[in-house]
Amino acid sequence: MLKIWEKKSNDDSETCKWISVHTKDCPKCFTPIEKNGGCNHMSCKTTTCLYQFCWLCMKKWGSCNYDCNK
């Protein structure tokens, strides 16, 4: 039972590492979001949120004046 628990624990820690490296939280609802290509204009897909923001500076889309792309 201990070996099964250790394996699961190690697998979960790798998942947590991947999530922390490859995702950011929506600035409005804090749902993890993965950027898988394209521009820095992001839209939260949570149906109760749908917040649009810049992936680099995390500000509301259009309010960053695109300075973060320099």
Side-chain angles (χ1 to χ4, degrees):
M1 187 180 286
L2 178 59
K3 287 182 180 184
I4 292 171
W5 180 85
E6 286 177 335
K7 181 176 178 357
K8 179 171 176 19
S9 179
N10 288 336
D11 290 347
D12 287 349
S13 69
E14 290 302 313
T15 300
C16 288
K17 286 179 191 175
W18 188 93
I19 289 172
S20 68
V21 169
H22 293 95
T23 67
K24 293 182 182 180
D25 290 344
C26 170
K28 185 175 178 184
C29 72
F30 307 106
T31 300
I33 296 175
E34 176 188 7
K35 185 176 188 313
N36 59 5
C39 70
N40 292 318
H41 181 192
M42 301 300 292
S43 296
C44 180
K45 298 300 182 189
T46 306
T47 56
T48 57
C49 183
L50 303 175
Y51 188 70
Q52 296 183 32
F53 61 96
C54 174
W55 179 256
L56 297 176
C57 68
M58 304 302 285
K59 292 180 184 175
K60 183 176 180 179
W61 185 252
S63 66
C64 65
N65 298 321
Y66 313 106
D67 293 335
C68 52
N69 281 331
K70 293 181 182 176

